[in-house]
Amino acid sequence: MSKLTTNSPKAVWDSLLIKAQAAVRQAQMSLTSAHQQKQEAIVRSEKIDQLLLEYNQHLNDLQRHSHNSAEARNYRQFIVQLQSISGQAKRAIDGLEIDCKEARSILREADLEKLKVESLAQRAREKYLKEQIYREAKATESDNLIMYNAAKRT
């Protein structure tokens, strides 16, 4: 059987497959990045929550042992600021979760596209090989007919 030649669809399908594989790699990197950002935001949020617990405990201790209202007011103001930051951190996590879902969806679509291209490329290769075999069989049949006719004349 002859080797695939330049008129084969292989070059086109290889290009499409390379493009599909690049899209999958890009989608994987985007998902990894989104997931990493979400994990970092979760860690920051947990640290803020821990600070809130600590300052609430300090405020409770202060109110039990000391009756310094100015210091208690400062603690309360700081706790309110931490609660605000905590709310922002939670909203950031929610936004990053949406980003992760979108990145997963894009990756799924890219994987499906890659599988489709692989399947179509395989089908095109099989069709090309069948056509090549058919052409070779026709050429062999033609050569045999010519040889038979030449042998018959002699």
Side-chain angles (χ1 to χ4, degrees):
M1 198 180 314
S2 70
K3 201 173 175 186
L4 292 177
T5 58
T6 56
N7 63 350
S8 78
K10 184 177 179 353
V12 172
W13 288 110
D14 284 348
S15 297
L16 290 173
L17 189 55
I18 288 169
K19 184 179 175 185
Q21 289 169 337
V24 168
R25 277 192 304 277
Q26 180 61 42
Q28 287 171 332
M29 289 188 320
S30 293
L31 177 58
T32 301
S33 174
H35 183 68
Q36 183 178 3
Q37 289 175 2
K38 180 182 151 200
Q39 290 306 113
E40 290 169 358
I42 289 171
V43 168
R44 283 191 302 272
S45 178
E46 289 171 350
K47 287 180 181 178
I48 292 168
D49 290 345
Q50 184 61 36
L51 275 174
L52 266 170
L53 287 174
E54 289 174 18
Y55 275 90
N56 274 320
Q57 184 62 42
H58 286 298
L59 177 61
N60 289 338
D61 291 344
L62 179 69
Q63 289 174 336
R64 265 183 284 178
H65 297 97
S66 172
H67 297 289
N68 185 342
S69 62
E71 193 175 356
R73 185 174 44 248
N74 289 340
Y75 269 95
R76 280 191 209 96
Q77 287 174 346
F78 186 68
I79 289 170
V80 167
Q81 290 174 345
L82 279 177
Q83 288 171 334
S84 174
I85 292 170
S86 177
Q88 292 170 0
K90 303 273 190 271
R91 287 189 295 280
I93 291 170
D94 292 344
L96 290 168
E97 179 60 35
I98 291 169
D99 291 349
C100 284
K101 286 179 182 178
E102 288 174 359
R104 274 194 284 292
S105 175
I106 290 169
L107 177 58
R108 210 174 6 262
E109 290 172 16
D111 272 335
L112 288 174
E113 182 65 23
K114 182 179 141 225
L115 289 173
K116 182 175 86 173
V117 168
E118 287 173 343
S119 174
L120 290 172
Q122 181 62 31
R123 205 178 309 164
R125 277 190 297 276
E126 290 169 0
K127 180 181 176 188
Y128 178 78
L129 290 175
K130 282 181 184 179
E131 290 172 353
Q132 188 73 16
I133 290 169
Y134 177 76
R135 281 191 297 274
E136 288 175 2
K138 280 298 209 180
T140 302
E141 184 181 326
S142 176
D143 290 345
N144 288 341
L145 188 57
I146 291 170
M147 287 175 31
Y148 174 77
N149 287 337
K152 197 173 178 187
R153 284 188 204 143
T154 56

